[in-house]
Amino acid sequence: MRKYYTITELTREFGVSTRTLRFYEDEGLIQPDRRGRTRLFRASDRHLIKEILRGRRLGFTIAEIREIIDIYKGPPGELGQLELMMKRVAEKREQLAQKRQDIEDTLAELDNVDEACLARLAELRVGT
Amino acid sequence: MRKYYTITELTREFGVSTRTLRFYEDEGLIQPDRRGRTRLFRASDRHLIKEILRGRRLGFTIAEIREIIDIYKGPPGELGQLELMMKRVAEKREQLAQKRQDIEDTLAELDNVDEACLARLAELRVGT
DNA sequence: ACTTTCTTTTACGTAAAAGTCAATTTTCAC
DNA sequence: GTGAAAATTGACTTTTACGTAAAAGAAAGT
């Protein structure tokens, strides 16, 4: 396993700019090590970036992504905290379920469009 | 069936502001009728708004939502247009498939968190 | 040592998607 | 037909998520 990734390695891998990764650091989403002033990204940072971009693709804001990441950071020991955590997990699950439903609905409509296209194509072939 | 909806009826139904609906009109996503200057929304506008908000929840930009809506507007007659249309449908389908995968991945991670929480709860109950 | 390529910080800029405010109409209920 | 409530336009503001540019320090190949 590699110890560290440079910032440009990661920008290339994920197709984002250095500005973006620094922005995520400013926002507290990742905390790369430093050698002097230079950032050194660990595998865990790389993994976090993956999750951030996943959230971004799903239209979550940075604040929402932070919520998700905070959830991942591991369940705390105390009882009250645990219950709060599970409530948050349930909330996120609902949001995701809504998005999934939205996707299915949209796909269904695209199916209709596709069928209409194919029907029209068939007509053209027969020579309407 | 109702003939028309007022703007505030729709803002209440969908939880958006009048500004938002007017913005969508400016962007050409909806074209409500007018009685004088007052907007009168038809069922078709209402349906379009639903689709816009669905796209918004999925993190599509207005431009991308416009693409989807343009697709819905029905397949044109000409052959070249039909092929272009079907290509666009395929593209959207891919985007949606990616989002769906992202959702499944995220849900899977939430499952892990949930399990960890439950495990910790069990420990607490036994009296660690 | 020298150049090239990275990387850093700081700071200002910007596009998208509305929010907010003000000043007028318009509509509706009575 | 009048007064309150709702709707309109237009201009300006805000927030989010970065982009961009400048100025300078560090690393790496030759």
Side-chain angles (χ1 to χ4, degrees):
Chain A
M1 258 197 277
R2 305 260 320 263
K3 186 118 201 255
Y4 288 121
Y5 301 86
T6 72
I7 196 166
T8 28
E9 277 177 325
L10 294 182
T11 62
R12 281 177 191 144
E13 174 172 6
F14 295 115
V16 297
S17 68
T18 58
R19 178 73 181 82
T20 298
L21 294 183
R22 290 186 194 117
F23 172 71
Y24 292 154
E25 183 183 9
D26 285 347
E27 290 293 312
L29 299 178
I30 49 181
Q31 283 116 20
D33 278 358
R34 298 281 179 134
R35 176 173 49 207
R37 327 169 87 188
T38 304
R39 290 168 180 79
L40 299 172
F41 294 80
R42 284 156 303 185
S44 61
D45 295 311
R46 181 167 166 280
H47 187 236
L48 270 178
I49 292 169
K50 271 191 202 175
E51 307 205 329
I52 294 167
L53 298 180
R54 214 163 59 193
R56 197 173 73 161
R57 282 193 298 272
L58 290 174
F60 284 115
T61 66
I62 294 297
E64 288 169 325
I65 291 172
R66 201 197 327 274
E67 283 176 28
I68 297 178
I69 284 181
D70 285 348
I71 288 176
Y72 292 156
K73 285 199 173 150
E78 198 214 317
L79 184 65
Q81 298 271 327
L82 271 173
E83 283 164 349
L84 180 60
M85 167 80 60
M86 293 185 71
K87 211 186 76 191
R88 285 190 185 139
V89 169
E91 281 169 15
K92 282 297 158 192
R93 226 188 273 281
E94 274 183 51
Q95 291 179 25
L96 291 167
Q98 170 71 68
K99 284 180 198 285
R100 181 159 54 184
Q101 185 61 54
D102 287 333
I103 287 173
E104 300 311 326
D105 292 348
T106 308
L107 281 172
E109 301 215 34
L110 289 182
D111 283 347
N112 291 336
V113 174
D114 236 8
E115 277 179 42
C117 284
L118 289 172
R120 184 80 186 101
L121 272 180
E123 279 179 28
L124 287 179
R125 219 175 308 263
V126 172
T128 293
Chain B
M1 258 197 277
R2 303 256 326 255
K3 186 119 202 249
Y4 288 121
Y5 300 85
T6 71
I7 196 167
T8 29
E9 277 177 325
L10 294 181
T11 63
R12 279 179 192 142
E13 174 171 4
F14 296 115
V16 297
S17 69
T18 58
R19 179 72 182 79
T20 299
L21 295 184
R22 288 195 269 266
F23 173 69
Y24 291 155
E25 183 183 8
D26 285 347
E27 290 293 313
L29 299 179
I30 50 182
Q31 283 117 18
D33 279 357
R34 297 284 177 132
R35 177 172 50 206
R37 325 169 88 186
T38 304
R39 291 166 180 79
L40 298 172
F41 294 80
R42 283 157 303 185
S44 60
D45 295 311
R46 180 166 166 280
H47 187 236
L48 269 178
I49 292 168
K50 270 191 202 174
E51 307 204 330
I52 294 167
L53 298 180
R54 214 162 59 193
R56 197 173 71 162
R57 282 194 298 271
L58 290 174
F60 284 115
T61 66
I62 295 296
E64 288 168 325
I65 291 172
R66 201 198 327 274
E67 284 176 29
I68 297 178
I69 284 180
D70 286 347
I71 288 176
Y72 292 156
K73 285 199 174 151
E78 198 214 317
L79 184 66
Q81 298 270 328
L82 271 173
E83 282 164 349
L84 180 60
M85 168 80 61
M86 293 185 71
K87 211 187 76 190
R88 284 190 186 140
V89 169
E91 281 169 15
K92 282 298 158 193
R93 226 189 272 281
E94 273 183 51
Q95 291 179 24
L96 290 167
Q98 170 70 67
K99 284 180 198 284
R100 183 159 52 184
Q101 185 61 54
D102 287 331
I103 287 173
E104 301 310 327
D105 292 347
T106 309
L107 281 173
E109 301 215 35
L110 289 181
D111 282 347
N112 290 338
V113 173
D114 235 8
E115 276 179 43
C117 283
L118 289 173
R120 183 80 185 101
L121 272 180
E123 280 179 28
L124 287 178
R125 221 176 305 263
V126 173
T128 294

PDB file of all heavy atoms in Angstrom, chain B residues 27 35 37 43 45 55 58 67 91-92 98 101 120 122:
ATOM      1  N   GLU B  27     -36.865  30.997 -17.284  1.00  0.00           N
ATOM      2  CA  GLU B  27     -35.935  30.045 -17.876  1.00  0.00           C
ATOM      3  C   GLU B  27     -36.579  29.226 -18.992  1.00  0.00           C
ATOM      4  O   GLU B  27     -35.934  28.373 -19.597  1.00  0.00           O
ATOM      5  CB  GLU B  27     -35.408  29.101 -16.803  1.00  0.00           C
ATOM      6  CG  GLU B  27     -34.464  29.765 -15.813  1.00  0.00           C
ATOM      7  CD  GLU B  27     -33.156  30.209 -16.456  1.00  0.00           C
ATOM      8  OE1 GLU B  27     -32.562  29.410 -17.187  1.00  0.00           O
ATOM      9  OE2 GLU B  27     -32.765  31.377 -16.241  1.00  0.00           O
ATOM     10  N   ARG B  35     -54.078  35.722 -17.783  1.00  0.00           N
ATOM     11  CA  ARG B  35     -55.307  36.499 -17.904  1.00  0.00           C
ATOM     12  C   ARG B  35     -54.848  37.882 -17.504  1.00  0.00           C
ATOM     13  O   ARG B  35     -54.612  38.143 -16.322  1.00  0.00           O
ATOM     14  CB  ARG B  35     -56.387  35.985 -16.970  1.00  0.00           C
ATOM     15  CG  ARG B  35     -57.651  36.853 -17.041  1.00  0.00           C
ATOM     16  CD  ARG B  35     -58.787  36.235 -16.259  1.00  0.00           C
ATOM     17  NE  ARG B  35     -58.361  35.852 -14.903  1.00  0.00           N
ATOM     18  CZ  ARG B  35     -58.920  34.894 -14.189  1.00  0.00           C
ATOM     19  NH1 ARG B  35     -59.926  34.202 -14.692  1.00  0.00           N
ATOM     20  NH2 ARG B  35     -58.476  34.620 -12.988  1.00  0.00           N
ATOM     21  N   ARG B  37     -52.112  40.139 -16.758  1.00  0.00           N
ATOM     22  CA  ARG B  37     -50.724  39.842 -16.406  1.00  0.00           C
ATOM     23  C   ARG B  37     -50.646  38.649 -15.468  1.00  0.00           C
ATOM     24  O   ARG B  37     -49.581  38.111 -15.228  1.00  0.00           O
ATOM     25  CB  ARG B  37     -50.080  41.050 -15.710  1.00  0.00           C
ATOM     26  CG  ARG B  37     -50.572  42.395 -16.246  1.00  0.00           C
ATOM     27  CD  ARG B  37     -50.120  43.527 -15.343  1.00  0.00           C
ATOM     28  NE  ARG B  37     -48.791  44.002 -15.756  1.00  0.00           N
ATOM     29  CZ  ARG B  37     -48.091  44.910 -15.079  1.00  0.00           C
ATOM     30  NH1 ARG B  37     -48.561  45.398 -13.940  1.00  0.00           N
ATOM     31  NH2 ARG B  37     -46.926  45.312 -15.505  1.00  0.00           N
ATOM     32  N   ALA B  43     -52.839  22.052 -15.745  1.00  0.00           N
ATOM     33  CA  ALA B  43     -52.390  20.773 -15.194  1.00  0.00           C
ATOM     34  C   ALA B  43     -51.035  20.390 -15.783  1.00  0.00           C
ATOM     35  O   ALA B  43     -50.186  19.820 -15.101  1.00  0.00           O
ATOM     36  CB  ALA B  43     -53.420  19.690 -15.494  1.00  0.00           C
ATOM     37  N   ASP B  45     -48.665  22.412 -16.670  1.00  0.00           N
ATOM     38  CA  ASP B  45     -47.628  23.186 -15.986  1.00  0.00           C
ATOM     39  C   ASP B  45     -47.329  22.547 -14.632  1.00  0.00           C
ATOM     40  O   ASP B  45     -46.169  22.415 -14.244  1.00  0.00           O
ATOM     41  CB  ASP B  45     -48.099  24.625 -15.774  1.00  0.00           C
ATOM     42  CG  ASP B  45     -48.294  25.366 -17.088  1.00  0.00           C
ATOM     43  OD1 ASP B  45     -47.385  25.310 -17.926  1.00  0.00           O
ATOM     44  OD2 ASP B  45     -49.359  25.972 -17.274  1.00  0.00           O
ATOM     45  N   GLY B  55     -36.006  16.702 -10.706  1.00  0.00           N
ATOM     46  CA  GLY B  55     -34.652  16.888 -11.209  1.00  0.00           C
ATOM     47  C   GLY B  55     -33.793  17.639 -10.209  1.00  0.00           C
ATOM     48  O   GLY B  55     -32.629  17.314 -10.001  1.00  0.00           O
ATOM     49  N   LEU B  58     -32.504  15.573  -7.477  1.00  0.00           N
ATOM     50  CA  LEU B  58     -31.437  14.675  -7.926  1.00  0.00           C
ATOM     51  C   LEU B  58     -30.151  15.424  -8.254  1.00  0.00           C
ATOM     52  O   LEU B  58     -29.186  14.838  -8.717  1.00  0.00           O
ATOM     53  CB  LEU B  58     -31.902  13.888  -9.153  1.00  0.00           C
ATOM     54  CG  LEU B  58     -32.977  12.845  -8.867  1.00  0.00           C
ATOM     55  CD1 LEU B  58     -33.475  12.225 -10.153  1.00  0.00           C
ATOM     56  CD2 LEU B  58     -32.431  11.771  -7.940  1.00  0.00           C
ATOM     57  N   GLU B  67     -32.906  19.924 -20.472  1.00  0.00           N
ATOM     58  CA  GLU B  67     -32.653  18.841 -21.425  1.00  0.00           C
ATOM     59  C   GLU B  67     -33.671  17.718 -21.266  1.00  0.00           C
ATOM     60  O   GLU B  67     -34.219  17.211 -22.241  1.00  0.00           O
ATOM     61  CB  GLU B  67     -31.252  18.266 -21.205  1.00  0.00           C
ATOM     62  CG  GLU B  67     -30.109  19.124 -21.746  1.00  0.00           C
ATOM     63  CD  GLU B  67     -28.748  18.531 -21.391  1.00  0.00           C
ATOM     64  OE1 GLU B  67     -28.651  17.286 -21.257  1.00  0.00           O
ATOM     65  OE2 GLU B  67     -27.788  19.302 -21.229  1.00  0.00           O
ATOM     66  N   GLU B  91     -28.060   8.883 -22.792  1.00  0.00           N
ATOM     67  CA  GLU B  91     -27.145   9.626 -21.927  1.00  0.00           C
ATOM     68  C   GLU B  91     -27.761   9.864 -20.551  1.00  0.00           C
ATOM     69  O   GLU B  91     -27.121   9.633 -19.520  1.00  0.00           O
ATOM     70  CB  GLU B  91     -26.794  10.986 -22.558  1.00  0.00           C
ATOM     71  CG  GLU B  91     -25.747  10.919 -23.663  1.00  0.00           C
ATOM     72  CD  GLU B  91     -25.644  12.248 -24.414  1.00  0.00           C
ATOM     73  OE1 GLU B  91     -26.159  13.269 -23.894  1.00  0.00           O
ATOM     74  OE2 GLU B  91     -25.064  12.258 -25.504  1.00  0.00           O
ATOM     75  N   LYS B  92     -28.975  10.340 -20.555  1.00  0.00           N
ATOM     76  CA  LYS B  92     -29.663  10.589 -19.282  1.00  0.00           C
ATOM     77  C   LYS B  92     -29.775   9.316 -18.480  1.00  0.00           C
ATOM     78  O   LYS B  92     -29.615   9.293 -17.264  1.00  0.00           O
ATOM     79  CB  LYS B  92     -31.070  11.152 -19.544  1.00  0.00           C
ATOM     80  CG  LYS B  92     -31.102  12.621 -19.903  1.00  0.00           C
ATOM     81  CD  LYS B  92     -30.558  13.492 -18.789  1.00  0.00           C
ATOM     82  CE  LYS B  92     -30.106  14.838 -19.337  1.00  0.00           C
ATOM     83  NZ  LYS B  92     -29.303  15.602 -18.370  1.00  0.00           N
ATOM     84  N   GLN B  98     -25.741   6.027 -12.780  1.00  0.00           N
ATOM     85  CA  GLN B  98     -24.630   6.392 -11.889  1.00  0.00           C
ATOM     86  C   GLN B  98     -25.177   6.857 -10.542  1.00  0.00           C
ATOM     87  O   GLN B  98     -24.700   6.442  -9.488  1.00  0.00           O
ATOM     88  CB  GLN B  98     -23.814   7.509 -12.536  1.00  0.00           C
ATOM     89  CG  GLN B  98     -22.785   8.141 -11.599  1.00  0.00           C
ATOM     90  CD  GLN B  98     -21.634   7.196 -11.286  1.00  0.00           C
ATOM     91  OE1 GLN B  98     -20.857   6.864 -12.154  1.00  0.00           O
ATOM     92  NE2 GLN B  98     -21.528   6.743 -10.037  1.00  0.00           N
ATOM     93  N   GLN B 101     -26.397   3.974  -8.526  1.00  0.00           N
ATOM     94  CA  GLN B 101     -25.284   3.246  -7.923  1.00  0.00           C
ATOM     95  C   GLN B 101     -24.762   3.980  -6.697  1.00  0.00           C
ATOM     96  O   GLN B 101     -24.480   3.375  -5.656  1.00  0.00           O
ATOM     97  CB  GLN B 101     -24.162   3.084  -8.958  1.00  0.00           C
ATOM     98  CG  GLN B 101     -23.001   2.235  -8.466  1.00  0.00           C
ATOM     99  CD  GLN B 101     -23.444   0.821  -8.130  1.00  0.00           C
ATOM    100  OE1 GLN B 101     -24.046   0.153  -8.952  1.00  0.00           O
ATOM    101  NE2 GLN B 101     -23.184   0.378  -6.914  1.00  0.00           N
ATOM    102  N   ARG B 120     -22.988  -1.717  19.477  1.00  0.00           N
ATOM    103  CA  ARG B 120     -22.567  -0.937  20.650  1.00  0.00           C
ATOM    104  C   ARG B 120     -23.701  -0.866  21.678  1.00  0.00           C
ATOM    105  O   ARG B 120     -23.466  -0.935  22.885  1.00  0.00           O
ATOM    106  CB  ARG B 120     -22.167   0.470  20.194  1.00  0.00           C
ATOM    107  CG  ARG B 120     -21.640   1.347  21.299  1.00  0.00           C
ATOM    108  CD  ARG B 120     -20.196   1.041  21.614  1.00  0.00           C
ATOM    109  NE  ARG B 120     -19.726   1.811  22.766  1.00  0.00           N
ATOM    110  CZ  ARG B 120     -19.614   1.334  23.998  1.00  0.00           C
ATOM    111  NH1 ARG B 120     -19.903   0.050  24.239  1.00  0.00           N
ATOM    112  NH2 ARG B 120     -19.182   2.092  24.984  1.00  0.00           N
ATOM    113  N   ALA B 122     -25.970  -3.093  22.160  1.00  0.00           N
ATOM    114  CA  ALA B 122     -26.050  -4.393  22.806  1.00  0.00           C
ATOM    115  C   ALA B 122     -25.005  -4.486  23.920  1.00  0.00           C
ATOM    116  O   ALA B 122     -25.288  -4.943  25.034  1.00  0.00           O
ATOM    117  CB  ALA B 122     -25.842  -5.500  21.775  1.00  0.00           C
TER     118      ALA B 122
END
